[in-house]
Amino acid sequence: MFNHWDKWLMRRFQKVKLRYRKGIPSSLRARAWQYHSNSHHLLNKNPGKFEELERHPGDPKWLDVIEKDLHQQFPFHEMQQDLYRILKAYTVYRPEEGYCQAQAPVAAVLLMHMPAEQAFWCLVQICDKYLPGYYSAGLEAIQLDGEIFFALLRRVCPMAYRHLKKFKIDPILYMTEWFMCIFSRTLPWSSVLRVWDMFFCEGGCDDTSIALYCAHKGGADFFRVKIVFRVGLVLLRHTLGSVDKLRSCQGMYETMEKLRSLPPHCMQEEVLLPEVSALAVTDALIERESNTQLRKWRENRGELQYRPSRRLHGARQIQEEKMRLNPSLSGSRLSLSSLSSLRRPSPPNSPALALQPPESVVVSEGLHPVLPSPTANKAPLGPPKEAAKKGKEKQKEQDKKREREEREREKKREKEEREERERERKREKEREKQKEKEEKRLQKEKEKAEAKQKKERKVSFRRKEASSPATDSTHKSGTGSADDTYF
Amino acid sequence: TSFSAVVLIGESGVGKTNLLSRFTRNEFNHDSRTTIGVEFSTRTLTLDGQLVKAQIWDTAGLERYRAITSAGAVGALLVYDITKHQSYDSIERWLKELYDHADASIIVMLVGNKSDLANETREVPFEEAKMYADSNGLLFIETSALDSTNVELAFETILRDIHRRVLKNKGEIPKDNTVVLSNQPNTGQSEGQTAEDKKSCCRNV
């Protein structure tokens, strides 16, 4: 797979994603992470850069903090030295960012898989592309993500949401460490690795519409850290998702205590990972909440201080950016965008495309096809055979593609609009079906249950409704027909 | 029982987390992990014959975390390391940050930690810090989370101070003052309010 990485990534991304969700064999993990984050490319492009950064004396202020911090965090001697090298190099590489304590555990996980230089470039990619702004002064990015996370929780697990709201427990009180360390200080090691596999592969939002939206509104680009959100939501649902669980933590202290020591069984990889994959949080939902929270933020706290250059979550986007920067490498850009037209709806404000600088147009177009959709989790795993075939055909036209790109894009937009409508219809149907099913189920339950348990049932019902479409699709995707169903 | 919220602030590595664990669990951990974000612990103790539930927030020491740490507390332990002058030098910045984000009537105690190392590597003289605290209206104490010296006393002193203020203000209608640490300004408490009003931070339950 790695030998033809570019091709795999661009044409068989579903397959790649499927494999990642299953987990990467540990022998391949280091390579996989580097390829996915595209840090191997940075490494090759900057030979000797790391040594150069290391030779730099560095800012004593940061060196002092790092040294103290490592001593505190990582008593293992060998690791400490390499960590110091990496973190110091980063403060030289990005003097305006400096050092943030949460970077150490992240770098440590990387170092357990690869030599210092490779780990350094991987860290750079995480800080620059996956979680921009997370480690910057002011921590605005993490606070905003906290708000979005909380809003998503309201949809995924209203009970936990109400509980946290009732006791005025701000998201930053519990999710800061989860998100900033990408759960490396929270989950058991085997789960950390699996989460990181997914994080590298599809780390964030595969949707540019948020970025487009923001750019259109004159704001920064926002992508959401999708996998991190998902994991956090599943954990909260397990911890605070039922009346029983809430009964034992009636109060702010008790709840905080509970959030600090999460139930061990839900952090096991066999429990956590399938639920993360199946969680019914659509990209459309994330997008909507992101926009809402961003608007609220601006109303309440003014303009954001940090301006991430661009969030690229996941391998595919990063690959596409690479191709944009090195057109010679990009064999299949056209096929990609035409692919995308088959699989992705256009962002709500596609006219904004025209307003973008040309380069970002290419990127954003490329970004669409990545994962299948607002209904993403519904059909994520089907191998895109048909699509791949089409891709091949299109590839033959490669030579003409430059001239045709503009035309193609127009068509695509039209197509996408059509599709969006169709999908909307399908989604509605789907929802109706779900409702019917659920109603039947509920009736059965009603017969059994007492009236006083009514409230309890309502919640579990809601939860079922939320997760069932995803489960359905997992079955479907096995037959490969999922794409047809949803697109 | 009444509740009191106290926040621990100060440079990273001065021993905030261990002060907290010493006070709430009587534990000391040589390899305690860096705090990322905020952590939290409680302990119930008797002050002036009344049960008081102390709610203590432990914060990350790195500068960039400051925005999310201090708002809403009624008391603060501003910790420095007596063996690191640099950690003492930064207390002015911490104070400013604290007064910017927290309630103006917040009770602050300056805590020089690691007093077990006083004879070997002390860099901040007791008198210097004491004078600074006096001239700035702060309580002052030197502690050692390692050998437990003064830890109990430090927390008890600040909690008693807070508690007495509450008792003094008891005639007032208690306000809901659950502590939320965020960088949002304390919009609930405008300038027009009296000092008494602002101090009604501990709620009798």
Side-chain angles (χ1 to χ4, degrees):
Chain A
M1 207 187 243
F2 290 121
N3 293 336
H4 303 283
W5 183 246
D6 291 356
K7 280 182 193 163
W8 274 92
L9 209 53
M10 300 317 273
R11 292 193 219 137
R12 308 281 319 264
F13 187 71
Q14 291 306 313
K15 185 86 180 171
V16 174
K17 199 174 125 190
L18 177 66
R19 295 218 171 149
Y20 270 61
R21 287 202 166 182
K22 282 183 181 164
I24 304 170
S26 49
S27 57
L28 291 177
R29 190 162 266 132
R31 265 175 96 192
W33 287 1
Q34 289 181 59
Y35 271 75
H36 260 293
S37 63
N38 201 28
S39 68
H40 73 296
H41 181 66
L42 275 180
L43 177 74
N44 296 334
K45 223 175 62 182
N46 299 292
K49 178 81 179 171
F50 183 64
E51 284 85 16
E52 188 192 314
L53 294 170
E54 272 199 291
R55 277 197 304 274
H56 196 280
D59 185 338
K61 176 180 103 188
W62 292 126
L63 300 187
D64 190 49
V65 179
I66 295 171
E67 203 167 343
K68 207 162 52 183
D69 195 36
L70 292 185
H71 188 64
Q72 213 180 334
Q73 280 200 67
F74 300 93
F76 321 104
H77 194 64
E78 205 174 314
M79 176 76 125
Q80 222 181 77
Q81 265 185 347
D82 274 347
L83 268 176
Y84 182 81
R85 291 170 63 200
I86 295 177
L87 297 170
K88 180 206 149 183
Y90 188 80
T91 62
V92 179
Y93 186 68
R94 293 254 182 271
E96 72 284 358
E97 293 276 314
Y99 168 68
C100 178
Q101 281 157 328
Q103 284 170 322
V106 171
V109 175
L110 295 172
L111 262 181
M112 286 177 200
H113 291 89
M114 52 189 92
E117 186 173 9
Q118 275 87 338
F120 169 73
W121 291 111
C122 227
L123 178 71
V124 167
Q125 286 296 79
I126 290 176
C127 300
D128 283 6
K129 306 288 187 208
Y130 284 80
L131 307 171
Y134 264 40
Y135 308 108
S136 312
L139 302 182
E140 277 183 330
I142 196 92
Q143 291 181 64
L144 179 61
D145 273 2
E147 297 302 322
I148 297 164
F149 179 68
F150 199 46
L152 289 172
L153 181 68
R154 194 169 69 117
R155 315 278 182 144
V156 172
C157 184
M159 187 176 261
Y161 172 85
R162 279 197 303 270
H163 185 81
L164 291 171
K165 187 144 189 141
K166 181 173 158 196
F167 295 110
K168 299 186 181 163
I169 302 173
D170 255 21
I172 50 158
L173 296 183
Y174 52 87
M175 51 72 76
T176 313
E177 184 175 336
W178 294 357
F179 280 36
M180 287 182 94
C181 305
I182 321 170
F183 295 99
S184 59
R185 299 219 309 188
T186 311
L187 299 173
W189 184 239
S190 61
S191 301
V192 169
L193 296 178
R194 295 284 306 276
V195 166
W196 278 52
D197 289 346
M198 283 165 77
F199 172 76
F200 273 115
C201 181
E202 44 184 315
C205 185
D206 43 57
D207 200 327
T208 43
S209 19
I210 300 162
L212 287 174
Y213 177 86
C214 296
H216 184 56
K217 301 267 170 193
D221 290 354
F222 283 97
F223 291 86
R224 304 272 59 104
V225 262
K226 207 176 69 177
I227 288 301
V228 182
F229 276 141
R230 283 169 166 271
V231 176
L233 289 168
V234 169
L235 291 177
L236 277 184
R237 197 171 64 184
H238 268 287
T239 316
L240 305 172
S242 78
V243 176
D244 261 6
K245 287 165 186 157
L246 293 186
R247 206 170 286 143
S248 63
C249 53
Q250 285 300 314
M252 187 194 203
Y253 332 100
E254 292 79 2
T255 309
M256 283 293 293
E257 202 54 49
K258 197 146 192 189
L259 287 173
R260 249 185 34 185
S261 48
L262 298 165
H265 86 275
C266 80
M267 297 193 284
Q268 296 305 315
E269 68 174 299
E270 333 56 273
V271 179
L272 180 68
L273 273 297
E275 287 196 34
V276 170
S277 306
L279 190 74
V281 173
T282 64
D283 295 350
L285 182 63
I286 295 182
E287 179 192 331
R288 205 161 52 233
E289 291 303 348
S290 299
N291 292 336
T292 314
Q293 296 309 322
L294 183 60
R295 207 184 53 236
K296 276 192 192 161
W297 180 288
R298 287 190 168 138
E299 279 166 12
N300 298 333
R301 314 191 196 183
E303 200 52 51
L304 284 145
Q305 295 294 307
Y306 87 101
R307 288 188 151 244
S309 50
R310 166 172 281 284
R311 272 200 189 193
L312 297 173
H313 291 297
R316 185 76 170 253
Q317 289 89 328
I318 288 167
Q319 174 79 359
E320 270 145 17
E321 189 194 47
K322 184 176 102 188
M323 291 200 161
R324 175 170 60 80
L325 298 172
N326 301 291
S328 56
L329 287 173
S330 94
S332 51
R333 206 195 301 167
L334 180 64
S335 67
L336 223 202
S337 47
S338 45
L339 262 179
S340 73
S341 69
L342 294 168
R343 331 196 78 239
R344 296 288 304 177
S346 135
N349 52 341
S350 31
L353 275 172
L355 303 173
Q356 304 298 304
E359 48 173 44
S360 88
V361 172
V362 178
V363 173
S364 30
E365 296 231 323
L367 282 166
H368 288 300
V370 181
L371 303 178
S373 79
T375 42
N377 351 350
K378 299 193 173 180
L381 308 177
K385 254 190 200 164
E386 211 183 283
K389 218 194 277 171
K390 281 198 181 141
K392 257 185 218 161
E393 280 168 36
K394 295 280 177 186
Q395 235 198 331
K396 290 177 194 160
E397 300 167 11
Q398 253 180 49
D399 299 338
K400 306 176 204 163
K401 86 182 167 199
R402 292 272 140 84
E403 305 97 88
R404 290 184 50 186
E405 232 170 40
E406 269 312 309
R407 246 187 305 153
E408 209 42 48
R409 213 173 282 144
E410 269 314 312
K411 263 193 228 164
K412 182 185 147 232
R413 235 171 271 153
E414 283 170 26
K415 231 181 196 173
E416 282 174 347
E417 266 165 42
R418 237 181 299 138
E419 266 167 24
E420 175 67 292
R421 281 196 294 275
E422 193 152 291
R423 289 154 63 90
E424 201 50 63
R425 262 209 316 276
K426 271 179 189 161
R427 245 178 281 155
E428 238 157 71
K429 256 191 212 165
E430 173 82 13
R431 248 177 265 143
E432 274 171 29
K433 250 192 224 165
Q434 283 290 321
K435 235 184 182 174
E436 267 177 37
K437 243 194 250 170
E438 286 302 320
E439 264 165 27
K440 273 182 203 163
R441 220 180 286 172
L442 195 71
Q443 255 176 357
K444 269 185 202 167
E445 277 176 20
K446 249 183 200 167
E447 289 164 16
K448 288 179 204 162
E450 294 288 321
K452 64 177 177 182
Q453 286 169 344
K454 210 170 181 178
K455 208 174 166 191
E456 213 174 312
R457 216 170 39 233
K458 224 176 180 175
V459 175
S460 60
F461 152 64
R462 235 177 270 154
R463 245 195 10 249
K464 255 182 236 158
E465 188 178 43
S467 57
S468 50
T471 336
D472 287 357
S473 69
T474 323
H475 296 304
K476 272 180 204 158
S477 62
T479 68
S481 64
D483 284 17
D484 304 336
T485 318
Y486 293 100
F487 296 90
Chain B
T1 319
S2 73
F3 294 129
S4 297
V6 174
V7 62
L8 280 159
I9 54 172
E11 289 294 283
S12 67
V14 298
K16 298 180 292 297
T17 305
N18 270 321
L19 274 174
L20 177 62
S21 66
R22 177 61 81 192
F23 177 64
T24 57
R25 298 189 297 275
N26 199 18
E27 283 171 13
F28 181 90
N29 186 358
H30 274 282
D31 318 311
S32 78
R33 299 195 303 183
T34 306
T35 310
I36 290 173
V38 258
E39 286 188 18
F40 167 90
S41 209
T42 62
R43 189 179 137 185
T44 308
L45 63 168
T46 319
L47 292 174
D48 302 332
Q50 269 201 322
L51 272 186
V52 172
K53 188 158 188 178
Q55 176 194 132
I56 299 145
W57 297 91
D58 178 24
T59 67
L62 204 61
E63 192 171 351
R64 59 194 61 196
Y65 289 101
R66 285 181 200 179
I68 66 169
T69 48
S70 41
V74 289
L77 294 180
L78 173 42
V79 189
Y80 69 93
D81 177 351
I82 64 159
T83 69
K84 296 254 162 55
H85 209 283
Q86 174 262 332
S87 73
Y88 176 75
D89 296 337
S90 65
I91 56 178
E92 198 130 354
R93 267 183 300 147
W94 278 105
L95 269 182
K96 187 181 173 305
E97 195 81 23
L98 191 62
Y99 290 135
D100 280 351
H101 289 290
D103 197 303
S105 66
I106 190 168
I107 299 174
V108 184
M109 177 182 248
L110 187 62
V111 179
N113 193 31
K114 308 198 184 176
S115 65
D116 51 290
L117 300 171
N119 295 329
E120 297 131 52
T121 46
R122 179 193 279 277
E123 283 183 13
V124 184
F126 179 90
E127 293 74 20
E128 186 187 340
K130 176 85 176 106
M131 259 168 59
Y132 180 86
D134 287 346
S135 58
N136 285 278
L138 316 175
L139 302 165
F140 175 69
I141 199 165
E142 279 191 355
T143 60
S144 165
L146 179 74
D147 63 20
S148 304
T149 311
N150 284 348
V151 175
E152 199 81 2
L153 182 64
F155 280 98
E156 270 178 23
T157 309
I158 192 164
L159 289 168
R160 186 170 289 124
D161 243 49
I162 294 168
H163 187 63
R164 287 197 178 143
R165 271 199 204 182
V166 180
L167 290 182
K168 231 165 58 183
N169 303 333
K170 218 169 179 186
E172 296 185 28
I173 306 140
K175 277 167 61 180
D176 188 274
N177 255 313
T178 314
V179 170
V180 176
L181 299 176
S182 78
N183 73 343
Q184 281 169 307
N186 275 354
T187 46
Q189 300 181 329
S190 67
E191 299 221 317
Q193 284 173 307
T194 64
E196 258 73 26
D197 222 16
K198 289 182 182 177
K199 279 177 222 152
S200 62
C201 305
C202 302
R203 177 175 45 147
N204 287 330
V205 176

